[in-house]
Structure formats: structure tokens, C-alpha cells
Amino acid sequence: MRTLIVTAFVSVDGVMEAPGGESDYRNTGWTFKDIDFDPAAYEIKGREQEETTALLLGRNSYEAFAPIWPTMTEFAGYNAMPRYVVSTTLAEADSRWPATILRSLDDVAALKETDGGPIAVHGSAALGKSLADAGLVDRYHLLVFPVLLGAGKRLFSETDKDKTMLKLVESEAYPNGVQKQVLDVVR
């Protein structure tokens, strides 16, 4: 079975919306505004690109990334790997960044059963919550930033469900206050 990894930049209060400067969010760009850049904190992002073998995205993130990521040389690994988009409304993939459209969480579960390495979920707040609630997430790669954002799209759902235990398998704190947390879902 393939490992499904949700990877996110997140505030201490769990917000993951608009970390890189996307429009229409009050605190957009919060990962670099008022927080010193420390390249060591982003080591995990390079490692993810080397270790994952496919990308899984929700429709909104896919539509935001498709016009930008193919032109970014720092994402060459992601641009070369298979991409999957979970959507019930997307009619066809963007030709600039082709992807296979999956129509349900059952399709995601079937993808996990195929041969291959880890699958990474980037952005995709709604999808990440649905995957977690369905018990499909195996690991979290989090960069937790020392900021409280209040409102915004959150990493975890508020669904009333049984607790999910996590095991911290890797962590590091950086001089700029960012913390890396790699957590496995305990089954």
C-alpha cells in the first residue's frame, strides 16, 4: 500500500490558508512576512520532492498551481511525477499541467492500493480534511510557523469523530521559530 502524506505550512492555531501570498486572504504571505527565512527549515520540502512519487490535489489547489508550478524550476521533480486531482466538478485537466481526475475518496483509496511510492497532498485544505476523516492519511509533514492567524482555512476538520493518535517520528526547531513535525498516523 502506498503512503499518503499531507504536507502543509501551518500556523500554531492550525490555519494553512494562503501561506505564499495568494490573494483574497487577510494574512496572505504569513510564512515569510515578519519571519526570517532559514533555508534549513525548508529541507523537508526538497526531501519530499525526492521521495514522493505522485501528487494528489483538490480542485482549488490544482487550479491555482497549474498555471504556475510547471514554470518553476525548483519544482522539476513535482512537474515530472504523476498528478491526481480529486474533484466531482472538474471536467478536464489543465493541459499545461496534466493530471488524472479522481471522482471520489474511494478512488483515492484504490490509488493507495496500487504499486508505487508515497503520494503527497499539497495545499488542498478541504481534501486533506476529507482524507483524514476517511482514515486515508498515513503521515503529516508540517512546518509550524510561530504565528496565530485566527480565521482561515484549517488543516484539521472539526468533525466529531474518535480521536486519531499520531506518533512524532521527526522534529526540529529552527532559530526563526519554525518547527518541523513529521507525524505518523497510528493504526
Side-chain angles (χ1 to χ4, degrees), residues 161-176:
K161 61 181 180 181
D162 291 339
K163 69 181 171 193
T164 301
M165 296 299 297
L166 303 173
K167 178 182 179 186
L168 184 66
V169 295
E170 182 181 341
S171 65
E172 191 165 349
Y174 303 96
N176 63 358

Side-chain angles (χ1 to χ4, degrees), residues 4-28:
L4 191 102
I5 302 167
V6 170
T7 178
F9 298 136
V10 64
S11 66
V12 171
D13 57 344
V15 175
M16 62 179 289
E17 185 169 356
E22 300 80 355
S23 61
D24 299 329
Y25 177 62
R26 176 184 183 161
N27 294 311
T28 191

Side-chain angles (χ1 to χ4, degrees), residues 43-55 69 72-81 120 122 141:
E43 172 276 334
I44 193 168
K45 304 317 283 175
R47 192 168 14 126
E48 286 170 354
Q49 204 169 163
E50 293 170 9
E51 295 174 355
T52 58
T53 59
L55 281 177
W69 279 32
M72 298 179 76
T73 56
E74 61 266 45
F75 293 151
Y78 290 134
N79 291 327
M81 66 181 66
H122 283 269
H141 286 184

